[in-house]
């Protein structure tokens, strides 16, 4: 279950990652920190939350936060672009990523080890 998060938590994640998030992602995280994204073409994606230790429940629900997951993808996923920030994953080993200097979203395909643009609409 997703929950709202304070903008200061988003800024802390952005600072740790060295980039800002696109406005649509920031707005989604402020209203729902994590949760699912339904993409008509590719199915469901699981959006990484930002870390929130404001209470025990939020701490537990944000354990797989975007900064931690970025470190994991970069160190463990063969062929993953080292400058990418993964913001969501599917159940097949693919990720939605942000690339440096670009606010568009991309799908990183773990089999092809390539990225291609994807249009995401964050419904509230």
């Amino acid at each position: 279950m997703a929950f709202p998060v304070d903008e200061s938590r988003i800024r802390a994640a952005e600072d740790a990652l060295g980039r800002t998030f696109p406005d649509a992602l920031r707005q989604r995280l402020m209203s729902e920190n994590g949760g699912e994204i339904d993409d008509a073409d590719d199915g469901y994606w699981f959006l990484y939350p930002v870390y929130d230790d404001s209470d025990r429940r939020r701490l537990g629900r944000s354990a797989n936060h975007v900064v931690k997951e970025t470190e994991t993808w970069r160190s463990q996923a063969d062929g993953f672009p080292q400058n990418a920030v993964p913001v969501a994953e599917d159940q097949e080993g693919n990720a939605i990523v942000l690339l440096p200097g670009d606010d568009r979203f991309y799908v990183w395909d773990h089999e092809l080890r390539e990225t291609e643009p994807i249009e995401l609409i964050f419904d509230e």
Side-chain angles (χ1 to χ4, degrees), residues 95-110:
I96 294 178
V97 301
L98 295 169
L99 299 176
D102 192 344
D103 276 353
R104 293 178 294 172
F105 296 96
Y106 293 83
V107 172
W108 178 76
D109 185 297
H110 77 282

Side-chain angles (χ1 to χ4, degrees), residues 13-116:
E14 292 172 331
D15 290 346
L17 294 167
R19 70 152 298 143
T20 58
F21 295 143
D23 288 338
L25 178 58
R26 293 177 110 258
Q27 294 301 317
R28 167 60 189 266
L29 291 170
M30 281 191 284
S31 65
E32 294 181 61
N33 189 21
E36 292 182 355
I37 305 168
D38 184 9
D39 173 37
D41 295 329
D42 294 311
Y44 287 97
W45 296 91
F46 301 96
L47 182 65
Y48 297 132
V50 296
Y51 184 69
D52 184 353
D53 63 353
S54 60
D55 65 42
R56 294 184 81 179
R57 186 179 57 180
R58 290 173 188 253
L59 176 64
R61 290 182 180 171
S62 65
N64 66 324
H65 58 87
V66 67
V67 174
K68 177 182 173 186
E69 293 296 333
T70 297
E71 293 167 359
T72 301
W73 278 93
R74 289 177 179 174
S75 66
Q76 296 180 8
D78 188 36
F80 187 79
Q82 291 300 296
N83 57 0
V85 172
V87 296
E89 66 180 32
D90 65 9
Q91 295 180 0
E92 298 175 10
N94 303 310
I96 294 178
V97 301
L98 295 169
L99 299 176
D102 192 344
D103 276 353
R104 293 178 294 172
F105 296 96
Y106 293 83
V107 172
W108 178 76
D109 185 297
H110 77 282
E111 292 175 350
L112 301 175
R113 297 185 177 113
E114 295 177 353
T115 58
E116 67 177 58

